[in-house]
Short mmCIF file of all heavy atoms in Angstrom, two decimals:
data_model
loop_
_atom_site.label_atom_id
_atom_site.label_comp_id
_atom_site.label_asym_id
_atom_site.label_seq_id
_atom_site.Cartn_x
_atom_site.Cartn_y
_atom_site.Cartn_z
N ARG A 1237 -51.50 206.24 83.43
CA ARG A 1237 -51.98 204.89 83.32
C ARG A 1237 -51.20 203.90 84.07
O ARG A 1237 -49.87 204.02 84.04
CB ARG A 1237 -51.83 204.39 81.83
CG ARG A 1237 -52.92 204.94 80.89
CD ARG A 1237 -52.59 204.42 79.50
NE ARG A 1237 -51.21 204.31 79.25
CZ ARG A 1237 -50.68 203.68 78.16
NH1 ARG A 1237 -51.48 203.20 77.22
NH2 ARG A 1237 -49.38 203.80 77.98
N PRO A 1238 -51.62 203.06 84.93
CA PRO A 1238 -50.82 202.26 85.77
C PRO A 1238 -50.14 201.09 84.95
O PRO A 1238 -49.00 200.77 85.25
CB PRO A 1238 -51.82 201.65 86.79
CG PRO A 1238 -53.20 201.80 86.11
CD PRO A 1238 -53.08 202.99 85.20
N PHE A 1239 -50.75 200.57 83.91
CA PHE A 1239 -50.21 199.39 83.31
C PHE A 1239 -49.41 199.94 82.11
O PHE A 1239 -49.51 200.99 81.55
CB PHE A 1239 -51.30 198.52 82.73
CG PHE A 1239 -51.95 197.79 83.85
CD1 PHE A 1239 -53.26 198.20 84.24
CD2 PHE A 1239 -51.40 196.65 84.62
CE1 PHE A 1239 -53.90 197.52 85.29
CE2 PHE A 1239 -52.05 196.04 85.57
CZ PHE A 1239 -53.30 196.49 85.96
N GLY A 1240 -48.52 199.03 81.72
CA GLY A 1240 -47.63 199.39 80.48
C GLY A 1240 -46.13 199.57 80.82
O GLY A 1240 -45.87 199.69 82.04
N HIS A 1241 -45.35 199.67 79.89
CA HIS A 1241 -43.94 199.93 80.13
C HIS A 1241 -43.80 201.39 80.44
O HIS A 1241 -44.48 202.19 79.84
CB HIS A 1241 -43.12 199.58 78.90
CG HIS A 1241 -43.38 198.32 78.32
ND1 HIS A 1241 -43.31 197.06 79.09
CD2 HIS A 1241 -43.82 197.97 77.11
CE1 HIS A 1241 -43.60 196.07 78.23
NE2 HIS A 1241 -43.96 196.58 77.06
N LYS A 1242 -42.93 201.78 81.40
CA LYS A 1242 -42.73 203.19 81.62
C LYS A 1242 -41.37 203.35 82.34
O LYS A 1242 -40.88 202.53 83.11
CB LYS A 1242 -43.90 203.73 82.47
CG LYS A 1242 -44.16 202.91 83.78
CD LYS A 1242 -45.23 203.58 84.64
CE LYS A 1242 -46.62 203.30 83.98
NZ LYS A 1242 -47.78 203.96 84.88
N ILE A 1243 -40.96 204.64 82.15
CA ILE A 1243 -39.70 205.09 82.89
C ILE A 1243 -40.19 206.21 83.74
O ILE A 1243 -40.79 207.17 83.31
CB ILE A 1243 -38.72 205.62 81.89
CG1 ILE A 1243 -38.18 204.45 80.98
CG2 ILE A 1243 -37.55 206.23 82.68
CD1 ILE A 1243 -37.22 204.95 79.94
N GLY A 1244 -40.09 205.93 85.16
CA GLY A 1244 -40.63 206.92 86.10
C GLY A 1244 -42.08 206.89 86.10
O GLY A 1244 -42.75 205.82 85.45
N GLY A 1245 -42.76 207.68 86.83
CA GLY A 1245 -44.19 207.74 86.79
C GLY A 1245 -44.76 206.89 87.97
O GLY A 1245 -44.14 206.75 89.00
N TYR A 1246 -46.03 206.56 87.85
CA TYR A 1246 -46.70 205.82 88.84
C TYR A 1246 -46.64 204.28 88.63
O TYR A 1246 -47.04 203.92 87.54
CB TYR A 1246 -48.12 206.34 88.88
CG TYR A 1246 -48.24 207.77 89.18
CD1 TYR A 1246 -48.49 208.65 88.17
CD2 TYR A 1246 -48.17 208.28 90.44
CE1 TYR A 1246 -48.62 210.04 88.29
CE2 TYR A 1246 -48.25 209.61 90.66
CZ TYR A 1246 -48.54 210.53 89.55
OH TYR A 1246 -48.59 211.86 89.80
N PRO A 1247 -46.14 203.54 89.55
CA PRO A 1247 -46.03 202.06 89.26
C PRO A 1247 -47.42 201.40 89.47
O PRO A 1247 -48.38 201.96 89.98
CB PRO A 1247 -45.12 201.61 90.49
CG PRO A 1247 -45.35 202.63 91.60
CD PRO A 1247 -45.65 203.93 90.79
N ASP A 1248 -47.50 200.25 88.92
CA ASP A 1248 -48.67 199.33 89.06
C ASP A 1248 -48.18 198.06 89.73
O ASP A 1248 -47.13 197.62 89.58
CB ASP A 1248 -49.40 199.06 87.74
CG ASP A 1248 -50.62 198.25 88.05
OD1 ASP A 1248 -51.46 198.68 88.99
OD2 ASP A 1248 -50.86 197.30 87.32
N PHE A 1249 -49.06 197.44 90.48
CA PHE A 1249 -48.91 196.25 91.14
C PHE A 1249 -50.00 195.30 90.99
O PHE A 1249 -51.15 195.65 91.08
CB PHE A 1249 -48.67 196.48 92.75
CG PHE A 1249 -47.52 197.37 93.02
CD1 PHE A 1249 -47.85 198.72 93.17
CD2 PHE A 1249 -46.27 197.05 93.01
CE1 PHE A 1249 -46.84 199.65 93.47
CE2 PHE A 1249 -45.26 197.93 93.35
CZ PHE A 1249 -45.48 199.25 93.53
N ILE A 1250 -49.70 194.07 90.71
CA ILE A 1250 -50.62 193.02 90.53
C ILE A 1250 -51.24 192.55 91.84
O ILE A 1250 -52.49 192.29 92.02
CB ILE A 1250 -50.15 191.92 89.68
CG1 ILE A 1250 -49.89 192.46 88.21
CG2 ILE A 1250 -51.17 190.70 89.58
CD1 ILE A 1250 -49.34 191.46 87.29
N GLN A 1251 -50.33 192.43 92.81
CA GLN A 1251 -50.72 191.76 94.12
C GLN A 1251 -50.50 192.86 95.26
O GLN A 1251 -50.10 192.46 96.40
CB GLN A 1251 -49.89 190.60 94.42
CG GLN A 1251 -50.21 189.62 93.35
CD GLN A 1251 -49.35 188.28 93.52
OE1 GLN A 1251 -48.57 188.19 94.50
NE2 GLN A 1251 -49.48 187.33 92.59
N GLY A 1252 -50.69 194.00 94.98
CA GLY A 1252 -50.56 195.20 96.05
C GLY A 1252 -49.20 195.75 96.01
O GLY A 1252 -48.18 195.20 95.38
N ASP A 1253 -49.08 196.99 96.63
CA ASP A 1253 -47.80 197.65 96.59
C ASP A 1253 -46.73 196.99 97.43
O ASP A 1253 -46.71 196.95 98.65
CB ASP A 1253 -48.08 199.03 97.14
CG ASP A 1253 -46.97 199.95 96.89
OD1 ASP A 1253 -45.76 199.57 96.73
OD2 ASP A 1253 -47.20 201.19 96.90
N ALA A 1254 -45.82 196.32 96.81
CA ALA A 1254 -44.76 195.55 97.39
C ALA A 1254 -43.64 196.37 98.22
O ALA A 1254 -42.95 195.90 98.95
CB ALA A 1254 -44.08 194.64 96.42
N ARG A 1255 -43.68 197.65 97.87
CA ARG A 1255 -42.62 198.50 98.46
C ARG A 1255 -42.78 198.58 100.07
O ARG A 1255 -41.80 198.68 100.76
CB ARG A 1255 -42.68 199.99 97.94
CG ARG A 1255 -42.28 199.98 96.48
CD ARG A 1255 -42.50 201.37 95.94
NE ARG A 1255 -43.91 201.70 95.91
CZ ARG A 1255 -44.39 202.78 95.55
NH1 ARG A 1255 -43.68 203.73 95.17
NH2 ARG A 1255 -45.73 202.97 95.47
N TRP A 1256 -43.95 198.61 100.53
CA TRP A 1256 -44.21 198.89 101.91
C TRP A 1256 -43.74 197.76 102.82
O TRP A 1256 -43.47 197.94 104.03
CB TRP A 1256 -45.58 199.17 102.16
CG TRP A 1256 -46.05 200.26 101.24
CD1 TRP A 1256 -47.29 200.30 100.46
CD2 TRP A 1256 -45.38 201.48 100.97
NE1 TRP A 1256 -47.25 201.43 99.75
CE2 TRP A 1256 -46.20 202.21 99.93
CE3 TRP A 1256 -44.31 202.08 101.31
CZ2 TRP A 1256 -45.84 203.40 99.47
CZ3 TRP A 1256 -43.87 203.37 100.80
CH2 TRP A 1256 -44.65 203.98 99.91
N GLY A 1257 -43.51 196.56 102.27
CA GLY A 1257 -43.12 195.36 103.13
C GLY A 1257 -41.62 195.16 102.97
O GLY A 1257 -40.99 194.28 103.64
N ASN A 1258 -40.82 195.96 102.20
CA ASN A 1258 -39.46 195.76 101.78
C ASN A 1258 -38.60 196.98 102.00
O ASN A 1258 -37.58 197.14 101.31
CB ASN A 1258 -39.37 195.29 100.35
CG ASN A 1258 -40.05 194.03 100.23
OD1 ASN A 1258 -39.51 192.92 100.70
ND2 ASN A 1258 -41.18 193.93 99.60
N LYS A 1259 -38.89 197.78 103.00
CA LYS A 1259 -38.10 198.92 103.19
C LYS A 1259 -36.83 198.62 104.11
O LYS A 1259 -37.13 198.24 105.24
CB LYS A 1259 -38.91 200.05 103.96
CG LYS A 1259 -40.02 200.63 103.05
CD LYS A 1259 -40.65 201.72 103.75
CE LYS A 1259 -41.67 202.43 102.97
NZ LYS A 1259 -42.33 203.44 103.64
N PRO A 1260 -35.59 198.73 103.59
CA PRO A 1260 -34.55 198.35 104.38
C PRO A 1260 -34.42 199.17 105.63
O PRO A 1260 -34.19 198.75 106.72
CB PRO A 1260 -33.30 198.53 103.49
CG PRO A 1260 -33.85 198.84 102.20
CD PRO A 1260 -35.33 199.14 102.32
N ASP A 1261 -34.50 200.57 105.51
CA ASP A 1261 -34.58 201.47 106.66
C ASP A 1261 -35.03 202.85 106.04
O ASP A 1261 -35.11 202.84 104.81
CB ASP A 1261 -33.23 201.55 107.30
CG ASP A 1261 -32.16 202.11 106.45
OD1 ASP A 1261 -32.24 203.11 105.82
OD2 ASP A 1261 -31.11 201.33 106.42
N SER A 1262 -35.31 203.69 106.93
CA SER A 1262 -35.95 204.97 106.45
C SER A 1262 -35.03 205.85 105.54
O SER A 1262 -35.42 206.59 104.88
CB SER A 1262 -36.35 205.69 107.82
OG SER A 1262 -35.37 206.10 108.50
N ASP A 1263 -33.67 205.58 105.78
CA ASP A 1263 -32.77 206.33 105.01
C ASP A 1263 -32.58 206.01 103.59
O ASP A 1263 -32.09 206.60 102.67
CB ASP A 1263 -31.40 206.52 105.66
CG ASP A 1263 -31.45 207.21 106.88
OD1 ASP A 1263 -32.34 208.19 107.04
OD2 ASP A 1263 -30.62 206.95 107.84
N THR A 1264 -32.94 204.68 103.32
CA THR A 1264 -32.66 204.09 102.01
C THR A 1264 -33.90 203.59 101.36
O THR A 1264 -33.92 202.55 100.77
CB THR A 1264 -31.66 203.02 102.04
OG1 THR A 1264 -32.08 201.94 102.92
CG2 THR A 1264 -30.22 203.58 102.53
N GLU A 1265 -35.03 204.26 101.58
CA GLU A 1265 -36.35 203.74 100.99
C GLU A 1265 -36.28 203.86 99.51
O GLU A 1265 -36.04 204.93 98.93
CB GLU A 1265 -37.41 204.69 101.54
CG GLU A 1265 -37.76 204.48 103.00
CD GLU A 1265 -38.82 205.44 103.38
OE1 GLU A 1265 -39.38 206.12 102.69
OE2 GLU A 1265 -39.23 205.29 104.54
N GLN A 1266 -36.41 202.68 98.85
CA GLN A 1266 -36.33 202.67 97.32
C GLN A 1266 -37.82 202.85 96.84
O GLN A 1266 -38.59 201.73 96.72
CB GLN A 1266 -35.76 201.39 96.95
CG GLN A 1266 -34.26 201.39 97.20
CD GLN A 1266 -33.72 200.07 97.86
OE1 GLN A 1266 -34.45 199.50 98.65
NE2 GLN A 1266 -32.52 199.67 97.49
N ASN A 1267 -38.29 203.98 96.91
CA ASN A 1267 -39.80 204.20 96.57
C ASN A 1267 -40.07 205.04 95.36
O ASN A 1267 -41.15 205.32 94.97
CB ASN A 1267 -40.52 204.82 97.73
CG ASN A 1267 -39.83 206.20 98.13
OD1 ASN A 1267 -39.04 206.68 97.38
ND2 ASN A 1267 -40.18 206.72 99.30
N ILE A 1268 -39.02 205.31 94.55
CA ILE A 1268 -39.14 205.99 93.23
C ILE A 1268 -39.03 204.93 92.17
O ILE A 1268 -38.05 204.23 91.97
CB ILE A 1268 -38.13 207.08 93.03
CG1 ILE A 1268 -38.25 208.12 94.12
CG2 ILE A 1268 -38.22 207.64 91.69
CD1 ILE A 1268 -37.20 209.18 94.15
N LEU A 1269 -40.08 204.94 91.33
CA LEU A 1269 -40.16 204.10 90.18
C LEU A 1269 -39.12 204.43 89.19
O LEU A 1269 -39.10 205.56 88.49
CB LEU A 1269 -41.39 204.04 89.50
CG LEU A 1269 -41.55 203.02 88.31
CD1 LEU A 1269 -41.49 201.53 88.78
CD2 LEU A 1269 -42.82 203.27 87.54
N LEU A 1270 -38.06 203.59 89.00
CA LEU A 1270 -37.03 203.77 87.96
C LEU A 1270 -37.61 203.41 86.53
O LEU A 1270 -37.63 204.16 85.69
CB LEU A 1270 -35.90 203.01 88.37
CG LEU A 1270 -34.60 203.30 87.66
CD1 LEU A 1270 -34.09 204.74 87.79
CD2 LEU A 1270 -33.41 202.37 88.13
N PHE A 1271 -38.05 202.18 86.41
CA PHE A 1271 -38.83 201.76 85.31
C PHE A 1271 -39.61 200.62 85.59
O PHE A 1271 -39.51 199.83 86.55
CB PHE A 1271 -37.99 201.64 84.11
CG PHE A 1271 -37.18 200.32 83.93
CD1 PHE A 1271 -37.69 199.26 83.36
CD2 PHE A 1271 -35.95 200.05 84.58
CE1 PHE A 1271 -37.02 198.07 83.16
CE2 PHE A 1271 -35.30 199.01 84.39
CZ PHE A 1271 -35.84 197.96 83.74
N GLN A 1272 -40.60 200.36 84.67
CA GLN A 1272 -41.60 199.31 84.85
C GLN A 1272 -41.64 198.64 83.51
O GLN A 1272 -41.83 199.16 82.52
CB GLN A 1272 -42.90 199.88 85.25
CG GLN A 1272 -44.08 198.82 85.23
CD GLN A 1272 -45.39 199.52 85.76
OE1 GLN A 1272 -45.45 199.84 86.88
NE2 GLN A 1272 -46.34 199.66 84.88
N MET A 1273 -41.54 197.28 83.48
CA MET A 1273 -41.68 196.43 82.27
C MET A 1273 -42.99 195.42 82.54
O MET A 1273 -42.97 194.74 83.47
CB MET A 1273 -40.51 195.61 81.93
CG MET A 1273 -40.55 194.96 80.63
SD MET A 1273 -39.02 194.14 80.20
CE MET A 1273 -38.17 195.60 79.83
N ASP A 1274 -43.85 195.77 81.73
CA ASP A 1274 -45.20 194.95 81.84
C ASP A 1274 -45.24 193.94 80.79
O ASP A 1274 -44.58 194.04 79.74
CB ASP A 1274 -46.40 195.97 81.72
CG ASP A 1274 -47.66 195.54 82.28
OD1 ASP A 1274 -47.70 194.31 82.65
OD2 ASP A 1274 -48.61 196.20 82.30
N SER A 1275 -46.07 192.93 81.06
CA SER A 1275 -46.28 191.98 79.99
C SER A 1275 -47.05 192.73 78.75
O SER A 1275 -47.81 193.59 78.99
CB SER A 1275 -47.28 190.91 80.41
OG SER A 1275 -46.57 190.01 81.36
N SER A 1276 -46.66 192.35 77.56
CA SER A 1276 -47.11 192.90 76.36
C SER A 1276 -47.21 191.95 75.27
O SER A 1276 -46.16 191.37 74.98
CB SER A 1276 -46.27 194.22 76.07
OG SER A 1276 -46.75 194.77 74.78
N VAL A 1277 -48.32 191.93 74.56
CA VAL A 1277 -48.40 190.98 73.51
C VAL A 1277 -48.92 191.74 72.19
O VAL A 1277 -49.91 191.22 71.56
CB VAL A 1277 -49.07 189.67 73.78
CG1 VAL A 1277 -48.32 188.84 74.65
CG2 VAL A 1277 -50.55 190.06 74.37
N ASP A 1278 -48.42 192.98 71.94
CA ASP A 1278 -48.97 193.70 70.77
C ASP A 1278 -48.13 193.27 69.63
O ASP A 1278 -47.18 192.46 69.64
CB ASP A 1278 -49.00 195.09 71.09
CG ASP A 1278 -47.73 195.83 71.31
OD1 ASP A 1278 -46.70 195.20 70.93
OD2 ASP A 1278 -47.70 196.81 71.99
#
């Protein structure tokens, strides 16, 4: 599931995948989702 809080897994983006415009260089690509915190009102 893309939405929701998660540790690891597949990230979700509201306005497109932001990782591809913010790569410092090819050796330090921060492309593994460490965690995601989504809005939640349950």
